[in-house]
Structure formats: structure tokens, C-alpha cells
Amino acid sequence: MTEQLNDRGWQSLIDRGMEWLPARLRRGVTVVPVVRLSGVIGAVTPLRPGMTLAGLARTLERAFAVSNAKAVALLVNSPGGSPVQSHQIFVRIRQLASEKKLPVLAFVEDVAASGGYMIACAADEIFCDPSSILGSIGVVGGSFGLTELIRKIGVERRLYTAGEHKAMLDPFLPENPEDVERLKAIQREIHALFIALVKSSRGARLKGADETLFTGEYWAGERAVSLGLADGVGDLRSTLRARYGEKVLTPLIAPASGLLAGLMGRRSPAASSLGALDAAAALPDELISALETRAIWARFGF
């Protein structure tokens, strides 16, 4: 009888101690950690970092390591960018999902287009808002032709190379059709890899013909669902509560910031002065990056 009372006493102490633990660490609590994947992918200047695997790797690892996690949710809001970084982020998410044996759910906010949609395809299921934009499964590249401009203002182009095609597609030289075809061949190769990834990820859920799905066109939420590019219309909170119960916890796993980041990245006054000089020197690049970023979002009406 005494042993039973002691056991009950210990259990009572344990139960009371559990009340002091953070909710997500308590036994029997359902947790779905959330990672926000937002912005242009791979567009990096000294002052404007885009999404890269290097910047996201630690955050993704923390999300998949959360105790009691039943799944991992991705909030995706990206018009695309670097195909390499898009694919590397996709691969890392799939690797972690396989290692931890956790399902992944993606929730599209404004847009998941091009590389943004590639990242969304890392999820086992994709949900979107009726007004979300999805798709743009294609490859784009652009430049400017400035030969007439420099001629009019009296600028002479002097370019020295070793290698027949080293100056390929230089904007200050007349366009060479052979160079354009070389670029398009590379784009077709990347496009084929993108198509294969989408087909592998979405499988039999895809409902449209290749001539519809893979032309670079994009669609609003409900049409995207009907084409099989997404699994349903729904927001993160409602969808996760319907699936895991009203008390499901959805902690946002964010990169280190604030005091900790400041302590880890603290610089001396001299270093800060040099950083200010570097930032000033980077302003032209920053302006160009801002314009490019604005142009990428603007393609989708944002």
C-alpha cells in the first residue's frame, strides 16, 4: 500500500512538473513546426540576401528535430529565382522528411511560381488560397542590347578574352544567333529536369496535359487544384486543426535573430566602419538587385 502511495506521489510530482514545461514538450501534445520560405530564391547582394540552402539549412534541421512533431508545415511565398538553389532546398527538405519519417505540408501564400513551386513540390501535399498563384513551370533568362546606346554616346567597347565563347551574350556586342541557341539548349535541359521533378512529386495527381502544365503558364488557386498542381484550398491553421485537432501547436521555426544573433555577430567599431564602407560601395548592386526582385514579383501581379 505504501509503495502504491509512493508511486502515486511520484506520478503526481511528475505531472505537476510537466505543467511547467513548454507546451510543445509535453507528452501527448501534437506539434507541427512551421517554416516560412519567402522571397526571391538565390538573389544575393551584400544588403539583400535571397533564399538559399545555406541560409535555410539550419532552420529546416531545427524544424524536423522538434519533439512530438507529427508533420512539418512550409509557408511558401516565392516567385522563383535560381534553379540551383530551388533544387537544393527541395532536396534537403525531402532528405530530412525521409530521415525523420515526417510528412510535409506546403501552404502557398501569394505565389509559388517557378522555383517557388519547385520548393512547394517538396511537400507531400500542397494547399493554397483561392487567390494564390501557382505554376510557371519553365525557365527564363533575360538581358539588354546596348550596342546602339554606346554608339550614340560615343563609347568604344574594348573586350579581351581567351576562349571563343567567353563573351557570349555580352549586352554591349551584337547578338549572335549561335550564342542564343546555346543558351536555349541549356534552358531546355533545365526545363526537362524541372518537369521530371514535378511529375515525380505530383505523380498521378496531375490532371492537365504536358502542353498545358509545362509551358510556363500559371494559375490561381482553384484552377491549380483542378490541374493537380495543388491538393486543396485551405489555410494553415484551419487545415492543421481539422487534421490534428483543435489543440495542435504550430511553432514558427525562425532563423536566429535578435540578441543572440547580435552577440554571435558582434563587430568591433573599426569593423563596423569598414562594413559601412562596404555597404556604401554595394549600393549600385543593391539598386539593381531591388529592381530585378521587383521585376520578378511583378510578373505575377505582385
Side-chain angles (χ1 to χ4, degrees):
M1 183 68 177
T2 303
E3 291 182 358
Q4 290 178 349
L5 289 173
N6 287 339
D7 289 343
R8 290 173 184 171
W10 279 112
Q11 186 61 51
S12 176
L13 287 174
I14 292 172
D15 291 341
R16 293 175 67 180
M18 291 289 288
E19 294 177 2
W20 291 92
L21 286 175
R24 65 185 179 84
L25 298 180
R26 298 174 192 168
R27 289 178 298 188
V29 174
T30 300
V31 182
V32 179
V34 179
V35 177
R36 182 176 293 279
L37 303 173
S38 181
V40 175
I41 302 164
V44 179
T45 68
L47 300 179
R48 186 183 293 273
M51 274 200 290
T52 64
L53 177 59
L56 289 171
R58 180 60 184 145
T59 302
L60 291 171
E61 289 169 3
R62 287 170 54 212
F64 280 91
V66 168
S67 300
N68 299 330
K70 298 299 182 183
V72 171
L74 309 175
L75 280 175
V76 181
N77 192 18
S78 173
S82 164
V84 173
Q85 292 299 322
S86 302
H87 185 253
Q88 289 185 347
I89 294 168
F90 169 92
V91 170
R92 182 59 58 86
I93 293 170
R94 291 316 311 161
Q95 288 172 341
L96 290 168
S98 177
E99 291 169 9
K100 301 298 183 179
K101 296 180 172 54
L102 287 175
V104 180
L105 307 176
F107 295 87
V108 178
E109 296 184 315
D110 295 308
V111 58
S114 195
Y117 183 69
M118 181 184 290
I119 290 176
C121 282
D124 299 287
E125 297 177 75
I126 301 174
F127 299 90
C128 60
D129 185 86
S131 298
S132 298
I133 299 295
L134 292 86
S136 190
I137 302 167
V139 181
V140 63
S143 182
F144 297 94
L146 304 175
T147 54
E148 290 298 316
L149 175 62
I150 64 173
R151 182 184 63 79
K152 288 180 179 179
I153 63 177
V155 175
E156 180 184 355
R157 174 65 163 158
R158 295 175 180 175
L159 186 64
Y160 311 99
T161 67
E164 183 181 355
H165 302 293
K166 188 62 178 177
M168 186 175 75
L169 300 176
D170 185 294
F172 297 99
L173 295 175
E175 189 175 66
N176 183 336
E178 293 181 0
D179 291 344
V180 174
E181 181 52 38
R182 290 189 186 93
L183 174 62
K184 288 186 175 181
I186 293 172
Q187 289 180 323
R188 287 192 292 269
E189 184 176 351
I190 297 173
H191 191 200
L193 294 171
F194 193 175
I195 292 171
L197 181 148
V198 173
K199 286 185 173 181
S200 175
S201 172
R202 301 299 298 165
R205 288 174 289 184
L206 292 174
K207 303 301 180 184
D210 287 7
E211 294 76 13
T212 300
L213 295 174
F214 305 127
T215 63
E217 188 177 354
Y218 47 88
W219 301 270
E222 292 186 354
R223 177 61 174 153
V225 171
S226 70
L227 290 170
L229 297 176
D231 296 285
V233 170
D235 65 282
L236 181 144
R237 186 172 185 270
S238 299
T239 302
L240 295 184
R241 284 191 166 199
R243 183 165 300 190
Y244 297 108
E246 292 292 320
K247 294 185 178 180
V248 61
L249 298 179
T250 55
L252 179 65
I253 310 301
S257 60
L259 177 62
L260 179 59
L263 292 173
M264 294 177 65
R266 182 177 292 167
R267 299 177 179 177
S268 67
S272 297
S273 299
L274 290 173
L277 291 174
D278 289 342
L283 285 176
D285 286 342
E286 175 66 9
L287 176 60
I288 293 172
S289 174
L291 292 172
E292 290 178 340
T293 300
R294 181 65 249 153
I296 292 172
W297 281 103
R299 287 207 303 267
F300 305 99
F302 294 97

